[in-house]
Amino acid sequence: EFVLNQSQRIAKIGSWEYTRSGAAIFWSDEMFSIFGLDTSFDVKTHNLAEIIGGDEGRLVVDSIGNLVKTGAPLDLTFRTRTPIGYMKWLRLYAYPINSENEITGVRGICHDITYYKEAEELLRASDRKYRSLFEQASDAILMTDLTGNFLDANTSFCEMLGYSRQELLGMNLLSLVDPVELQQR
């Protein structure tokens, strides 16, 4: 149990289970940690939507209810706010528990993917900055592969040569050089 708890803590993945009989909910210690709750907090079916909060809370509860009815596995990504106000991105996986051809509950895991989502956003912001600098540069900028095929060109380069970006992307650097000039040099 110690190894399982430490593994969940390191991976930021909590496990949980809902049993229809008695409407019992079990959360691993990491589930409480992910949601910013003390392990003494009493998680029940009637307060689950409130714990998650907002429209996402209702979506999760409705989706679990649908899983109990249909048996269709669940894979949801949503945002939640911890009691101290920290916004987290979570990915919830859930599967039905079957006994004698009847769904008796739901078992799943919840992965805190906040770090990955924040990294994606930083990468998108960096890409937007790069793209903006690339496009707005007054100097001609081009990118080619090792054989000289154009991969990208900024507006200044296109205007300088009189080609559209689409035309250039289908060309090779050598096609812009006069063959006689190329042979002489």
Side-chain angles (χ1 to χ4, degrees):
E1 189 174 329
F2 173 78
V3 172
L4 177 62
N5 285 335
Q6 291 304 310
S7 298
Q8 286 189 6
R9 183 184 60 77
I10 291 167
K12 297 186 181 296
I13 298 175
S15 57
W16 59 276
E17 189 172 305
Y18 163 73
T19 308
R20 289 179 79 177
S21 171
I25 296 179
F26 163 80
W27 274 16
S28 69
D29 289 349
E30 187 58 23
M31 282 294 289
F32 287 98
S33 178
I34 287 170
F35 282 91
L37 299 171
D38 188 79
T39 55
S40 64
F41 188 86
D42 193 17
V43 179
K44 298 286 185 194
T45 55
H46 68 273
N47 66 2
L48 187 58
E50 183 181 329
I51 292 168
I52 297 168
D55 294 336
E56 289 85 356
R58 199 70 255 149
L59 172 68
V60 169
V61 169
D62 290 347
S63 297
I64 292 171
N66 185 57
L67 187 153
V68 170
K69 290 177 191 164
T70 66
L74 178 62
D75 182 355
L76 282 177
T77 300
F78 60 94
R79 286 184 78 180
T80 189
R81 183 183 301 275
T82 66
I84 61 170
Y86 186 65
M87 293 300 295
K88 288 187 174 186
W89 279 97
L90 305 177
R91 188 158 184 191
L92 185 81
Y93 301 93
Y95 306 91
I97 301 171
N98 294 300
S99 179
E100 298 176 17
N101 293 328
E102 181 183 341
I103 297 173
T104 58
V106 178
R107 186 173 290 134
I109 59 171
C110 183
H111 189 187
D112 181 351
I113 59 170
T114 306
Y115 174 79
Y116 304 107
K117 285 290 192 175
E118 289 173 350
E120 281 177 4
E121 184 53 39
L122 288 172
L123 188 59
R124 273 194 295 278
S126 176
D127 188 53
R128 283 190 300 268
K129 286 179 187 176
Y130 163 78
R131 181 58 49 194
S132 176
L133 286 171
F134 183 80
E135 282 304 318
Q136 294 177 12
S138 58
D139 292 333
I141 302 173
L142 70 132
M143 291 190 309
T144 66
D145 64 14
L146 294 175
T147 60
N149 295 317
F150 287 104
L151 300 175
D152 205 354
N154 72 349
T155 304
S156 294
F157 188 80
C158 294
E159 289 173 355
M160 183 173 76
L161 295 179
Y163 288 100
S164 72
R165 177 178 278 122
Q166 283 306 110
E167 290 172 314
L168 282 171
L169 294 181
M171 297 171 69
N172 185 287
L173 192 56
L174 294 176
S175 63
L176 298 177
V177 180
D178 178 32
V180 175
E181 178 91 11
L182 185 63
Q183 204 168 30
Q184 288 176 352
R185 294 184 183 247

